[in-house]
Amino acid sequence: MDNEHQARLKHFTALKSKYQAIKYEDSSPSSLLYLILRKADLAIEITDVEFDWLRKHQLSETIEIIQQKQQFRVEEHKKLEAEFAQLKAKYKVTQYWTSQKSCSSEISSPLYVILCKFESASDLNNSDISWLRERGLPHLAEMADKLRQDIELFAALKAKYRADKHQNTSPSSHLYQILKRLEKEQQLRDSEVNWLRTNSLLETLEIYQQIAAAREAEFSQLKEKYGANKHPDSSTSSPLYSILRNVDADRQLNKTQLEWLEKNGLSETLALVREIEQKRHFAELKAKYKSTQYEDSSPSSHLYKVLQLIDSGNLLGEQDINFLKKRNLVETIAIAQEQYASNLKSKVNAGERLSESEIELLKNNGREDIITLDQQKHLAKLKSKYRILDPNLPIEPFYTIMLKLEREERLDPLLVVKLIEEGLLAREGKIAMAHYRLEASFYQQEYQRTGHKWHIPTASSYWRKANEPERALQLTNLDLSKIKESNLKSAILVTRGAAFRDKNQLDQAESCAREAIDCHPDSYQPLTLMGAIYYDRGNYPEGDRWFAEAIQRGAETEAIDDEIKRVVRSTKDENKRQDVAEYLLKKDPVRYDWVRAYLKKLKN
């Protein structure tokens, strides 16, 4: 206890001397003055009560010293805060820190220390980088990591090029940029050489001069080796030096480098470079296509041309295949054929069609799978074009049918039967329209070729089925007085009247129908047309009268019902469709039971 007491007495005495309070007689460590002076020395704020006590004991000099220290401390704190704020602004962290709960002026933050390390470019470590990442400052963490790497690299380069005596460790140092150029084997500028000399880095300069001399000697040897001696520039900063080094290291030249050689008239060098690159390419192709046992490595070899053909995806001709066979390069042939087949498969998958020669080749090589894929893809496209929705429709004969339609070839009767069996001609689908259009064109051309007038009503009928009544009217716009056969004249008038009816020109349609009746009174066809016209007009009883007369002259009841169905189906007026449906059900609910579906649809 005595020792401790003595130590406290000694400390109190020292503080009294430091703070000009010697005149205060009480030297007991229990004195309030000892407490005040200890707080002042520890930079702890002195309270007003404590200042009043000092005044009371007339310790004005002590008060002045304490206040000066406190004022200095406040000013220093403000300076630190200002410096911290500047660093945060410089490194773009002000927004982050002011958004946190921590006060932005908290100079005790580790961030202040880390930013100071940034400024001095020293002592950054993994803990600093981890701290930045954990606080959501990834850009600073990346900067710190980069700076640390630069510091380490700078130190290593200084050691390598004997520049350790240069004290600056910051990567912003001019020396760092010079040493990096040395490491990249780049020629130094005169200003950089002078900087090394001015800063007494003579060992570094000597190393550079040795490297430069070695590179100049290497450049001279490369120029000799690759026929570039006529180029006057001997400086290693010349593009030629880097080009020749790439060539010597068996690195492929880019387009710009090749153009430079050509522009500078180095034709001999360019020829050597191209030969080297061709040899390299030839070796790569031989490895790729399993023909390394072929010893000739000259780019003039026919094998090089064959391998280039294979690599470009082209089909090998018989002569090239025989060349490979004679040299027992059967594996090369197999790869070539497989690659070509693969290219054709890619072509099919891209939506392109195979040619006849390609299909033949695939057949010969047992690759019917690609042919089938081609057909399936094309069939899917054709089904989409012709709006065939049935997923179970077999490929044949319908693929053949659609191919013929695409080539505008008429269908064989057996194929037409297949369409009828599948119901593809019973509705106005695209496949039916294409068929009808081909038939119409055929019979119209036959009429023009032979003059046989019975082709006129046939062609006109097909034009109508193809939903092109205008072409039917153009075809039947004839001088009928020149036609002597009454039944032919009647047939032309009926199909012409039907075309007018398709265009809803009912008066012209009726005129044609009546004229047809006059030409051929025994025919039921004009009577059927009259019945349909009156149904179109909504005069159903009058239409029935005409239909009845048609039946008496040989028309089938089913054909009359089909005509009535067409009226119900084709009308666009919903009220009119409802009227005719109700009329038919009232007339014969069994025979016309099919109209209930239309009524149900209207109700829904």
Side-chain angles (χ1 to χ4, degrees):
M1 289 293 293
D2 288 343
N3 289 338
E4 183 181 346
H5 182 73
Q6 288 299 322
R8 288 164 66 84
L9 279 174
K10 187 176 180 181
H11 184 226
F12 188 13
T13 301
L15 289 175
K16 284 168 72 177
S17 175
K18 182 177 180 180
Y19 289 95
Q20 301 292 313
I22 297 295
K23 64 181 180 178
Y24 184 72
E25 295 178 356
D26 188 355
S27 297
S28 171
S30 60
S31 166
L32 180 59
L33 178 60
Y34 186 37
L35 172 63
I36 293 171
L37 296 182
R38 283 163 65 202
K39 286 177 67 176
D41 211 46
L42 292 171
I44 298 172
E45 188 175 355
I46 305 302
T47 65
D48 291 340
V49 173
E50 291 166 329
F51 274 122
D52 288 342
W53 187 90
L54 292 171
R55 290 189 191 96
K56 182 180 177 181
H57 290 82
Q58 299 180 353
L59 295 170
S60 56
E61 290 180 342
T62 305
I63 292 171
E64 186 179 349
I65 292 170
I66 291 172
Q67 287 177 335
Q68 285 176 352
K69 280 184 172 291
Q70 286 188 338
Q71 181 62 33
F72 176 76
R73 195 160 52 247
V74 169
E75 289 174 358
E76 284 300 304
H77 195 279
K78 287 181 179 177
K79 285 181 182 178
L80 289 173
E81 283 185 330
E83 289 173 5
F84 190 21
Q86 288 173 357
L87 288 173
K88 288 189 290 181
K90 179 177 179 179
Y91 293 102
K92 300 179 181 178
V93 289
T94 306
Q95 183 177 358
Y96 168 81
W97 279 93
T98 55
S99 68
Q100 302 300 302
K101 292 181 180 178
S102 302
C103 178
S104 62
S105 63
E106 192 177 316
I107 57 175
S108 59
S109 165
L111 178 64
Y112 193 9
V113 179
I114 293 172
L115 294 182
C116 287
K117 289 182 178 182
F118 268 88
E119 285 296 285
S120 63
S122 63
D123 300 326
L124 279 167
N125 54 49
N126 287 330
S127 297
D128 297 328
I129 296 168
S130 298
W131 189 91
L132 291 170
R133 287 202 177 99
E134 289 166 3
R135 298 309 185 280
L137 295 167
H139 71 289
L140 265 186
E142 288 174 14
M143 285 175 63
D145 195 31
K146 173 69 168 58
L147 181 58
R148 186 189 61 178
Q149 291 174 20
D150 280 339
I151 291 169
E152 291 173 355
L153 177 59
F154 189 15
L157 292 176
K158 284 168 75 175
K160 180 176 180 179
Y161 294 102
R162 298 179 188 173
D164 288 318
K165 66 180 180 181
H166 189 73
Q167 298 301 312
N168 193 342
T169 60
S170 172
S172 61
S173 165
H174 190 47
L175 177 60
Y176 184 40
Q177 307 308 316
I178 293 174
L179 296 182
K180 283 199 294 184
R181 287 176 62 82
L182 279 178
E183 187 67 8
K184 292 178 183 176
E185 298 184 352
Q186 294 176 347
Q187 185 172 354
L188 296 186
R189 305 179 186 93
D190 290 342
S191 60
E192 291 169 329
V193 171
N194 289 334
W195 190 93
L196 291 173
R197 188 176 287 112
T198 302
N199 286 271
S200 301
L201 294 170
L202 301 181
E203 287 185 275
T204 307
L205 186 58
E206 185 181 352
I207 291 171
Y208 166 66
Q209 290 169 342
Q210 289 172 355
I211 293 171
R215 292 174 72 206
E216 286 173 4
E218 180 191 30
F219 190 15
S220 177
Q221 291 169 1
L222 291 173
K223 286 170 75 175
E224 177 71 30
K225 183 177 180 179
Y226 294 105
N229 276 327
K230 68 177 182 180
H231 190 69
D233 192 351
S234 59
S235 169
T236 54
S237 62
S238 166
L240 179 60
Y241 180 50
S242 61
I243 289 172
L244 295 182
R245 290 191 77 193
N246 281 335
V247 174
D248 206 52
D250 202 27
R251 289 191 291 266
Q252 189 169 357
L253 299 187
N254 58 40
K255 184 180 177 183
T256 304
Q257 292 170 322
L258 292 171
E259 288 174 349
W260 189 92
L261 291 173
E262 189 171 1
K263 182 180 177 182
N264 285 271
L266 295 169
S267 54
E268 186 181 346
T269 307
L270 192 59
L272 285 170
V273 167
R274 285 180 173 152
E275 184 179 353
I276 291 167
E277 293 193 348
Q278 285 176 342
K279 283 183 177 179
R280 185 194 309 113
H281 186 225
F282 189 11
E284 289 171 357
L285 292 179
K286 284 167 76 174
K288 183 176 180 180
Y289 295 107
K290 310 294 183 186
S291 54
T292 50
Q293 66 267 43
Y294 188 76
E295 293 181 359
D296 188 355
S297 59
S298 169
S300 61
S301 165
H302 184 65
L303 178 62
Y304 183 39
K305 296 174 185 176
V306 173
L307 295 182
Q308 284 179 302
L309 275 175
I310 297 171
D311 203 52
S312 61
N314 288 313
L315 175 64
L316 292 184
E318 188 176 345
Q319 184 178 354
D320 292 330
I321 291 174
N322 288 333
F323 173 86
L324 295 173
K325 283 180 178 177
K326 286 178 181 178
R327 286 147 186 85
N328 201 30
L329 297 173
V330 290
E331 200 172 356
T332 306
I333 297 171
I335 294 172
Q337 290 174 339
E338 180 58 33
Q339 182 164 302
Y340 185 66
S342 179
N343 290 340
L344 293 182
K345 188 174 183 178
S346 298
K347 176 181 176 179
V348 171
N349 283 324
E352 296 181 50
R353 295 298 323 280
L354 295 176
S355 66
E356 292 297 326
S357 61
E358 289 169 340
I359 291 172
E360 188 64 29
L361 175 87
L362 290 170
K363 283 180 181 177
N364 294 337
N365 286 278
R367 294 306 303 267
E368 284 79 4
D369 58 312
I370 299 176
I371 299 171
T372 302
L373 177 65
D374 176 58
Q375 291 176 342
Q376 289 171 340
K377 292 274 186 182
H378 193 219
L379 177 63
K381 189 181 290 186
L382 292 176
K383 285 174 71 174
S384 175
K385 177 179 178 178
Y386 290 104
R387 296 182 184 175
I388 298 174
L389 305 178
D390 184 0
N392 299 317
L393 193 73
I395 291 181
E396 292 298 347
F398 299 100
Y399 181 56
T400 299
I401 289 172
M402 286 183 278
L403 282 180
K404 280 182 169 289
L405 294 177
E406 284 292 287
R407 295 193 291 261
E408 297 186 352
E409 296 176 7
R410 290 181 71 215
L411 301 181
D412 302 332
L414 288 176
L415 295 179
V416 176
V417 169
K418 283 290 183 181
L419 289 176
I420 295 170
E421 288 174 352
E422 288 291 332
L424 293 174
L425 292 183
R427 52 185 182 270
E428 296 178 353
K430 284 204 166 189
I431 199 164
M433 294 300 103
H435 167 63
Y436 294 144
R437 201 173 293 113
L438 283 174
E439 291 299 297
S441 295
F442 170 76
Y443 283 107
Q444 185 166 334
Q445 289 167 9
E446 282 298 291
Y447 161 63
Q448 291 166 351
R449 184 177 68 83
T450 65
H452 185 50
K453 292 184 174 58
W454 272 104
H455 289 317
I456 295 173
T458 304
S460 175
S461 176
Y462 277 118
W463 282 128
R464 286 186 56 240
K465 288 180 180 180
N467 283 337
E468 296 193 43
E470 193 62 50
R471 298 194 65 170
L473 291 173
Q474 291 172 3
L475 178 61
T476 56
N477 187 17
L478 305 168
D479 182 0
L480 297 180
S481 63
K482 294 181 179 180
I483 298 176
K484 295 180 180 180
E485 297 174 72
S486 58
N487 56 346
L488 173 59
K489 189 184 295 187
S490 175
I492 293 172
L493 285 165
V494 168
T495 188
R496 182 172 176 77
F500 276 124
R501 181 180 163 234
D502 292 337
K503 292 172 63 65
N504 204 31
Q505 297 175 6
L506 300 181
D507 290 343
Q508 292 94 321
E510 182 178 355
S511 176
C512 289
R514 290 187 180 279
E515 191 177 346
I517 293 170
D518 291 340
C519 290
H520 195 193
D522 294 333
S523 174
Y524 65 82
Q525 291 175 332
L527 303 176
T528 303
L529 176 58
M530 285 295 291
I533 291 168
Y534 275 95
Y535 257 74
D536 286 338
R537 286 171 173 164
N539 189 345
Y540 310 124
E542 182 63 15
D544 285 339
R545 186 181 72 77
W546 283 105
F547 282 142
E549 285 193 36
I551 291 171
Q552 287 177 4
R553 283 171 174 74
E556 294 181 357
T557 303
E558 290 79 4
I560 298 299
D561 286 351
D562 285 342
E563 198 62 52
I564 293 172
K565 284 180 181 178
R566 183 170 176 268
V567 171
V568 176
R569 183 176 66 249
S570 62
T571 183
K572 296 177 182 178
D573 187 332
E574 300 294 347
N575 293 326
K576 184 178 177 182
R577 181 178 285 121
Q578 185 169 350
D579 289 343
V580 67
E582 289 174 350
Y583 171 79
L584 292 170
L585 282 176
K586 187 176 180 181
K587 176 183 172 184
D588 190 335
V590 177
R591 179 178 174 183
Y592 301 110
D593 183 67
W594 51 267
V595 298
R596 296 184 192 277
Y598 288 99
L599 287 174
K600 185 177 180 181
K601 187 176 179 182
L602 287 170
K603 185 178 179 181
N604 291 337

